[in-house]
């Protein structure tokens, strides 16, 4: 039974490191002229998504459970979007007057397009799939779209923070602490994969994708959630929104990389002769769990895009306090309801 306390200790370490990273990113945003969208959407998003990357690679190469990847990545993406909606609702009092760069909405649209590409790879009949060897074409397109999103990232800030920085650390010290924290976060994420494997042995009734979504997906999403909460608390909404949405697109890129690496069949269902019932290779094996993550994840993404559209292109949030509270509550609680529904559908 040692695995349970160790698992929660590992999560606690990830929470501490995430809080620290959130503070460091806020300092970087205020000590440099780099765009908050770039710092949050690329730098912080990449670091806070490193747990997903290393748990995905660990699932494939170390614990030989590629099925975890589907639950971990797709579960992390929808969980991040739900938490973004909930955190926006929590901080709506100040968020409603914050300046949010338009690129975040474009990046959210990219995320929805990635959902559509993954849906095709999951739902289209095998005869209609385009495979380049063992790699699905959709994985390549998802990865290319992520590279395009990086290229389009604004380098100069459209919105500035309202707070001044009061820190004795030099920029060099902040960067060193950032790198060290990122390395420690990688180590804790690899440990999380091993601990998840041990927990599934104790609770064999849990499917691999459900374990991936609950124990890995939620656990590896902690850095994004905690660091964004910290940035929102400091009223750095631009970097916070960029972190969450950038993490989602980065997670899709990780899913594509995992598909490149998962060259063998990952479906564990066999017939009486011991042969795989489905011979399709890669991660895009359609089952109830992947179907639910796809459908409800895309729905949550659409809600977030609609919410951000009102924020970016209208003045309703600034001028109408009631609208801002009601709309954020609908999006936040509606997203949470859809996420919970995933685990009750089979």
């Amino acid at each position: 039974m040692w695995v349970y306390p160790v698992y929660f200790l590992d999560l606690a370490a990830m929470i501490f490191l995430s809080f620290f990273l959130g503070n460091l990113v806020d300092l970087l945003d205020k000590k440099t002229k780099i765009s908050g969208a770039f710092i949050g959407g690329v730098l912080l998003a990449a670091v806070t998504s490193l747990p997903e990357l290393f748990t995905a690679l660990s699932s494939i190469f170390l614990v030989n459970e590629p099925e975890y990847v589907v639950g971990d990545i797709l579960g992390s993406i929808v969980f991040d979007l739900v938490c973004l909606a909930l955190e926006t609702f929590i901080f709506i009092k100040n968020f409603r007057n914050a300046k949010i760069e338009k690129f975040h909405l474009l990046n959210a649209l990219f995320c929805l397009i990635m959902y559509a590409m993954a849906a095709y790879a999951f739902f289209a009949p095998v005869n209609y799939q385009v495979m380049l060897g063992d790699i699905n074409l959709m994985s390549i397109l998802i990865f290319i779209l992520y590279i395009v999103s990086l290229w389009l990232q604004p380098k100069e800030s459209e919105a500035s923070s309202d707070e001044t920085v009061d820190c004795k650390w030099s920029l060099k010290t902040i960067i060193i602490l950032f790198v060290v924290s990122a390395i420690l976060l990688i180590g804790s994420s690899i440990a999380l994969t091993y601990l998840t494997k041990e927990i599934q042995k104790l609770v064999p009734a849990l499917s691999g994708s459900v374990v991936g979504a609950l124990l890995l997906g939620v656990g590896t999403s902690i850095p994004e959630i905690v660091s964004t909460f910290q940035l929102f608390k400091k009223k750095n909404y631009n970097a916070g929104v960029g972190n969450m949405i950038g993490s989602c697109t980065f997670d899709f890129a990780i899913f594509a990389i995992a598909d490149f690496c998962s060259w063998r069949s990952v479906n564990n269902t066999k017939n009486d002769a011991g042969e795989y019932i489905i011979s399709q290779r890669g991660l895009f094996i359609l089952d109830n769990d992947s179907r639910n993550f796809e459908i409800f994840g895309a729905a949550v993404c659409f809600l977030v895009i609609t919410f951000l559209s009102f924020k970016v292109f209208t003045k309703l949030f600034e001028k109408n306090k009631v609208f801002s509270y009601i709309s954020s509550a609908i999006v936040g609680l509606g997203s949470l309801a859809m996420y919970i529904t995933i685990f009750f559908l089979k």
Side-chain angles (χ1 to χ4, degrees):
M1 300 299 290
W2 61 267
V3 67
Y4 295 110
V6 174
Y7 176 85
F8 285 108
L9 283 174
D10 195 37
L11 289 183
M14 295 178 75
I15 291 172
F16 173 80
L17 290 168
S18 302
F19 267 114
F20 194 55
L21 282 167
N23 285 326
L24 293 175
V25 164
D26 186 60
L27 291 174
L28 284 173
D29 188 22
K30 292 171 181 174
K31 276 183 170 284
T32 66
K33 295 182 180 179
I34 304 173
S35 165
F38 183 84
I39 291 177
V42 177
L43 184 62
L44 182 59
V47 171
T48 56
S49 290
L50 285 176
E52 283 91 341
L53 174 61
F54 281 89
T55 52
L57 297 178
S58 300
S59 298
I60 293 171
F61 295 114
L62 297 181
V63 300
N64 196 29
E65 290 286 353
E67 190 182 14
Y68 286 175
V69 178
V70 177
D72 179 23
I73 300 300
L74 295 185
S76 292
I77 294 170
V78 64
F79 191 67
D80 283 349
L81 291 170
V82 169
C83 289
L84 173 60
L86 290 173
E87 288 178 333
T88 301
F89 172 60
I90 293 171
F91 291 94
I92 191 62
K93 179 180 179 181
N94 292 310
F95 180 87
R96 56 190 290 264
N97 295 313
K99 299 295 183 182
I100 303 297
E101 295 188 28
K102 295 179 181 179
F103 177 78
H104 298 317
L105 178 59
L106 177 62
N107 214 17
L109 286 170
F110 281 176
C111 185
L112 188 61
I113 295 172
M114 291 174 178
Y115 262 116
M117 292 176 176
Y120 183 88
F122 276 117
F123 298 120
V126 176
N127 293 338
Y128 290 91
Q129 300 282 355
V130 179
M131 302 295 294
L132 302 178
D134 291 326
I135 301 173
N136 195 301
L137 177 63
M138 292 299 106
S139 291
I140 297 175
L141 294 179
I142 287 172
F143 191 78
I144 291 174
L145 188 59
Y146 176 70
I147 298 300
V148 171
S149 74
L150 293 182
W151 181 67
L152 293 176
Q153 282 275 358
K155 304 301 184 295
E156 296 181 358
S157 180
E158 295 177 9
S160 59
S161 174
D162 296 331
E163 290 187 294
T164 57
V165 63
D166 181 19
C167 178
K168 296 181 181 179
W169 289 342
S170 66
L171 183 60
K172 180 180 179 181
T173 300
I174 294 172
I175 293 173
I176 291 174
L177 289 173
F178 187 89
V179 172
V180 172
S181 299
I183 293 173
L184 292 174
L185 198 61
I186 291 171
S188 62
S189 67
I190 294 175
L192 199 69
T193 309
Y194 282 103
L195 294 169
T196 298
K197 177 69 174 180
E198 294 300 318
I199 290 175
Q200 191 188 23
K201 290 179 181 178
L202 297 175
V203 191
L206 294 175
S207 68
S209 54
V210 170
V211 168
L214 286 175
L215 300 181
L216 283 180
V218 174
T220 56
S221 291
I222 283 177
E224 292 97 318
I225 297 162
V226 173
S227 57
T228 296
F229 184 90
Q230 189 76 336
L231 288 168
F232 276 19
K233 187 178 179 181
K234 292 177 175 292
K235 299 181 181 179
N236 195 339
Y237 302 103
N238 201 41
V241 172
N243 175 36
M244 290 298 262
I245 297 178
S247 293
C248 291
T249 54
F250 187 75
D251 283 350
F252 265 118
I254 294 172
F255 195 79
I257 293 171
D259 188 47
F260 301 159
C261 298
S262 185
W263 50 268
R264 61 191 180 282
S265 175
V266 298
N267 181 37
N268 293 323
T269 305
K270 297 182 180 181
N271 59 21
D272 294 336
E275 301 170 335
Y276 285 112
I277 297 175
I278 301 176
S279 60
Q280 180 180 347
R281 295 178 183 270
L283 297 179
F284 293 107
I285 305 296
L286 183 61
D287 58 17
N288 290 333
D289 296 322
S290 59
R291 178 197 64 201
N292 295 336
F293 286 132
E294 260 293 315
I295 294 174
F296 286 95
V300 171
C301 187
F302 180 79
L303 275 180
V304 171
I305 289 173
T306 303
F307 180 81
L308 286 178
S309 297
F310 279 106
K311 174 61 182 154
V312 171
F313 294 116
T314 74
K315 297 293 184 180
L316 286 172
F317 282 85
E318 292 89 339
K319 294 181 178 180
N320 194 325
K321 183 177 180 180
V322 174
F323 174 82
S324 63
Y325 276 86
I326 292 177
S327 60
S328 62
I330 290 174
V331 173
L333 298 178
S335 299
L336 179 61
M338 284 191 282
Y339 179 75
I340 293 174
T341 302
I342 293 174
F343 299 98
F344 290 93
L345 294 179
K346 289 294 180 181

